[in-house]
Amino acid sequence: MNDLAPLLTPEGRALLDLVRGTAPADELGVATRLRREHPAELVSAALGQARLRQRAAVKFGAEDAERMFFTPNGVEQSTRASVAAYRAECFHAVGIRSVADLCCGIGGDAIALARAGIRVLAVDRDPLTAAAARANAEALGLDDLIEVREADVTEVDTGGYDAVFVDPARRGGRGRVFDPESYSPPLSWAVEAARKAPCGVLKIAPGIPHEAIPADAEAEWVSDRGDVKEAMLWFGARVTPGARRAMLLPSQAGVWASPATMLPDPRVRPVGRYLYEPDGAVIRAHLVAEVAAGLEGGLIDPTIAYVTADELHVTPYASAYEITDQLPFNVKKLKALLREREVGILTVKKRGSAVEPEELRRKALPKAHGRNSATVFMTRVAGAPTMLIGRPV
């Protein structure tokens, strides 16, 4: 599908309604029937769009996805709606009223910004992608706030906007790109574009090394229901250079520390009654020490981001487990313990271990012994390979 125009016609829109929710197993039959009255290429395009909408429902919600238009790359690379809405709220909270959205893709962030009442210039150089963004703004009734422009972002004047948001493409013809200077546009250009604006935000991969973060940026990692989605670099007068934040959605619980307030690494201590698994955004932001301080806990190993404590503390920043057993790594001992405890459901987590969870699950619990469940952590304690067995609190 290289042209959205046929799908935007009355015939195309009618076909999209007809094929909505078509299961993959039914596509051949549906296509055969519809091609008797409609052009084959249009039927194929409608079915392809229906598949993309089904995939996009995870990110955008079924109600919006059923009205929007997507490209394969657009579904893959677009911002999850919950994250885009959070970012739009941040812009709105500091008085931003207009944003230049550079590398806008199919318009996920532009939609969230417009829904927050912010005027948006959405720019993308790919004709099909820009057409999808334009169609989405119209389909959702936001085209009065979103101007879509097909252009090279490096040639766009953003001087009249309160903020600039840049989301460089991190995928090429061979898949994901890991060299920031191979982004499109390169990371160095994106950083300068963000610096020039009164408020600049740059979306980056969450795995960026901390030493690659510019000194004048405030870095933020965002997770949604425990899954780390992205990182952002904030520039401008409102930021604290060198500060780091972990934001957990949907609760919007956040951990923040500036260079002046960052805590040293927590002490290493013996495993206590409780083990806390910090949210991935907390770990990526290097804010485990701040979370550990609130838990009155320490690390089980200087290189492992598991926090242990003797008392149970309620926290939005980590999942808590009650530890019942601590064993040196030994599959036979684990197998015997699971049989003794009548375990039928085993969850395996690992950090600092080369053992694959599925392999251990298969060897330690080849068959269910009962209805009880258990969680085993394959990790290191004070440098030694260890199995910690417990259950979620």
Side-chain angles (χ1 to χ4, degrees):
M1 183 184 65
N2 298 313
D3 186 8
L4 282 176
L7 291 176
L8 301 176
T9 64
E11 182 181 13
R13 292 179 184 276
L15 271 176
L16 286 172
D17 289 338
L18 287 172
V19 301
R20 178 182 298 158
T22 300
D26 299 330
E27 282 190 2
L28 180 59
V30 171
T32 301
R33 176 171 52 82
L34 291 177
R35 283 170 182 165
R36 295 169 187 157
E37 300 178 6
H38 303 278
E41 290 185 359
L42 184 58
V43 172
S44 295
L47 285 168
Q49 190 62 225
R51 284 196 300 271
L52 293 176
R53 286 176 167 182
Q54 290 171 11
R55 287 171 53 194
V58 175
K59 285 188 174 182
F60 291 90
E63 184 177 351
D64 278 352
E66 286 296 341
R67 292 188 287 165
M68 293 172 67
F69 294 86
F70 299 96
T71 66
N73 285 340
V75 174
E76 184 70 28
Q77 299 180 28
S78 58
T79 304
R80 184 177 288 262
S82 56
V83 179
Y86 161 69
R87 182 163 37 240
E89 289 173 14
C90 292
F91 277 127
H92 186 269
V94 296
I96 299 297
R97 294 297 175 261
S98 62
V99 173
D101 179 3
L102 307 182
C103 309
C104 68
I106 54 94
D109 279 283
I111 290 166
L113 290 165
R115 283 176 167 168
I118 298 171
R119 180 171 58 87
V120 186
L121 170 64
V123 184
D124 203 286
R125 70 178 181 181
D126 179 67
L128 180 60
T129 303
R134 191 174 294 110
N136 290 334
E138 180 183 351
L140 298 178
L142 299 168
D143 46 329
D144 58 331
L145 284 171
I146 301 174
E147 174 195 348
V148 179
R149 188 180 302 176
E150 181 190 325
D152 186 331
V153 297
T154 63
E155 299 174 358
V156 174
D157 180 10
T158 61
Y161 293 85
D162 297 340
V164 168
F165 172 62
V166 192
D167 182 7
R170 294 181 294 279
R171 287 184 178 273
R174 297 183 178 180
R176 191 175 297 277
V177 174
F178 295 98
D179 178 10
E181 288 308 297
S182 296
Y183 292 174
S184 181
L187 182 63
S188 56
W189 181 91
V191 167
E192 289 307 312
R195 280 174 172 157
K196 292 175 183 176
C199 175
V201 181
L202 173 58
K203 178 179 171 179
I204 55 174
I208 185 172
H210 279 235
E211 56 269 21
I213 297 173
D216 57 336
E218 183 172 322
E220 180 175 17
W221 283 260
V222 181
S223 68
D224 187 7
R225 302 184 189 278
D227 188 8
V228 182
K229 291 301 178 184
E230 65 177 61
M232 291 179 277
L233 301 181
W234 293 79
F235 297 86
R238 299 179 178 91
V239 310
T240 302
R244 298 194 295 260
R245 183 189 306 275
M247 176 56 60
L248 284 58
L249 301 179
S251 67
Q252 292 200 13
V255 185
W256 183 89
S258 70
T261 63
M262 288 177 187
L263 299 177
D265 290 341
R267 65 188 178 91
V268 177
R269 52 149 290 174
V271 177
R273 181 176 178 182
Y274 296 98
L275 187 75
Y276 296 88
E277 183 180 28
D279 185 272
V282 171
I283 296 172
R284 294 282 194 179
H286 293 185
L287 294 173
V288 173
E290 282 68 19
V291 172
L295 298 172
E296 301 178 354
L299 298 180
I300 63 171
D301 184 277
T303 64
I304 303 296
Y306 282 139
V307 177
T308 188
D310 297 317
E311 302 294 332
L312 179 62
H313 297 269
V314 177
T315 174
Y317 307 119
S319 300
Y321 296 82
E322 184 177 15
I323 299 302
T324 57
D325 300 272
Q326 177 178 340
L327 304 172
F329 178 74
N330 187 301
V331 178
K332 289 184 176 180
K333 288 185 178 180
L334 176 61
K335 188 175 181 179
L337 185 143
L338 297 177
R339 184 171 56 248
E340 176 186 332
R341 303 281 170 83
E342 297 182 343
V343 171
I345 302 173
L346 180 64
T347 300
V348 180
K349 293 176 171 286
K350 74 165 190 171
R351 187 164 291 162
S353 172
V355 177
E356 290 300 325
E358 281 300 327
E359 179 184 1
L360 179 67
R361 187 182 295 107
R362 178 173 50 83
K363 291 182 177 179
L365 193 67
K367 65 176 182 178
H369 301 298
R371 293 187 173 185
N372 295 330
S373 60
T375 300
V376 58
F377 294 86
M378 307 303 303
T379 186
R380 292 195 303 272
V381 173
T386 304
M387 299 183 298
L388 301 176
I389 298 91
R391 53 181 171 266
V393 175

